[in-house]
Amino acid sequence: QVQLVESGGGSVQPGGSLRLSCKSEGRPIYYNAIAWFRQAPGKEREGISCFSVGDRKRYYSDDIRGRFTISMDTAENTATLQMNDLRVEDTAVYYCARITRTNCGDDYATRVGSWGQGTQVNVSS
């Protein structure tokens, strides 16, 4: 079965760190660009980062740039999102997604082929 399986969510205090993982099952992860989205309570799901396997570009939204890092380990068939200096406003359900091409492009959020199941991140004091 082809799917994305996420792990690594949890609860942390402001300023803390978490590392989210997205393992591709049934398909090599490097066949597609991989993106991370999040959905906070009462808000729409938004794209926050994307990793292009073609041109190796990495995309970050303004509110996470400099704090989060996206990467891909093809040997482990896994993409990760390292999240540092977490803030209360980072609280959300985080989803990884397979993009329908190898490069993200600025419109990657409209090119989602499949989703992971989501993992909850809570940042509070």
Side-chain angles (χ1 to χ4, degrees):
Q1 181 179 0
V2 177
Q3 60 181 351
L4 296 171
V5 180
E6 301 171 31
S7 60
S11 296
V12 66
Q13 292 185 339
S17 298
L18 285 172
R19 185 179 179 88
L20 304 183
S21 293
C22 173
K23 187 171 180 63
S24 177
E25 297 183 349
R27 179 181 176 88
I29 197 164
Y30 59 83
Y31 277 14
N32 301 83
I34 296 293
W36 286 93
F37 291 72
R38 68 184 181 187
Q39 186 166 18
K43 294 188 177 181
E44 293 187 357
R45 192 174 301 187
E46 60 172 346
I48 59 172
S49 187
C50 189
F51 187 98
S52 292
V53 296
D55 59 19
R56 311 297 286 183
K57 286 185 178 179
R58 305 179 188 194
Y59 291 73
Y60 298 101
S61 64
D62 289 342
D63 53 355
I64 68 161
R65 187 175 291 112
R67 301 187 296 123
F68 293 9
T69 302
I70 191 172
S71 61
M72 182 181 289
D73 184 336
T74 55
E76 296 294 326
N77 224 27
T78 297
T80 61
L81 186 69
Q82 177 67 42
M83 305 187 296
N84 298 329
D85 190 25
L86 283 160
R87 304 168 180 170
V88 172
E89 54 264 37
D90 293 319
T91 295
V93 178
Y94 284 71
Y95 300 87
C96 64
R98 221 184 293 271
I99 305 303
T100 57
R101 57 195 185 198
T102 56
N103 290 330
C104 299
D106 291 335
D107 63 343
Y108 71 86
T110 66
R111 301 280 185 169
V112 174
S114 60
W115 296 95
Q117 83 280 10
T119 186
Q120 179 71 48
V121 170
N122 291 316
V123 185
S124 68
S125 55

